[in-house]
Amino acid sequence: MRRFVEGIDRGQTTLFPECLDDWIDGDNPVRAIDAFVDKLDLSGLGFDGVAPEATGRPSYHPSVLLKLYIYGYLVRVQSSRRLEREAGRNVEVMWLTSRLTPDHKGDCRLSQGQRAGDQAGLRAIY
């Protein structure tokens, strides 16, 4: 049983847009962010929450939050509340997060390094 909140398949056909992959060009920077974060060993870098907890509400995988965090720096959106809004209306962010819309608290915790492991992980990347 998986214990993370999971997004939908990017290739799944929906009403709007029909397929998210069709709306994101091959040379779009979000594809680079996605490939970069997917190649990282987040647990090796020290990020907390890579292994899901057995109980409680499923959390967002740290890679989803990290992708959103890096995207925010790329487009100069540093407010976690604005990133939350972008996740619900920006097609690039929808593609990047597999249509997940993390709330501002989750992104804020990652960006401010409120968990010790996340702070160490961010330092290792930057």
Side-chain angles (χ1 to χ4, degrees):
M1 179 176 171
R2 297 184 181 157
R3 294 292 307 159
F4 291 114
V5 177
E6 294 188 19
I8 64 170
D9 180 24
R10 293 178 184 140
Q12 180 177 346
T13 303
T14 59
L15 201 55
F16 170 80
E18 287 190 21
C19 180
L20 284 176
D21 252 355
D22 295 343
W23 290 69
I24 304 299
D25 292 336
D27 60 347
N28 193 307
V30 295
R31 290 192 184 267
I33 294 170
D34 186 55
F36 172 71
V37 173
D38 286 346
K39 295 287 183 198
L40 293 175
D41 176 21
L42 295 179
S43 60
L45 290 171
F47 279 91
D48 284 341
V50 175
E53 297 291 329
T55 60
R57 181 185 184 281
S59 62
Y60 293 103
H61 194 276
S63 66
V64 173
L65 298 176
L66 182 59
K67 289 174 187 179
L68 190 59
Y69 181 69
I70 293 172
Y71 177 83
Y73 270 96
L74 180 69
V75 297
R76 297 182 181 146
V77 175
Q78 291 147 0
S79 164
S80 56
R81 291 182 190 267
R82 285 197 52 213
L83 281 174
E84 177 185 12
R85 251 183 286 143
E86 291 296 312
R89 67 179 179 193
N90 186 328
V91 178
E92 289 179 340
V93 181
M94 287 181 195
W95 182 89
L96 189 61
T97 62
S98 300
R99 288 205 176 162
L100 292 175
T101 53
D103 64 344
H104 62 277
K105 293 178 199 166
D107 183 50
C108 184
R109 275 188 227 116
L110 177 73
S111 64
Q112 292 179 352
Q114 291 179 357
R115 293 185 289 188
D118 292 346
Q119 191 173 25
L122 287 174
R123 263 196 245 120
I125 291 173
Y126 292 107

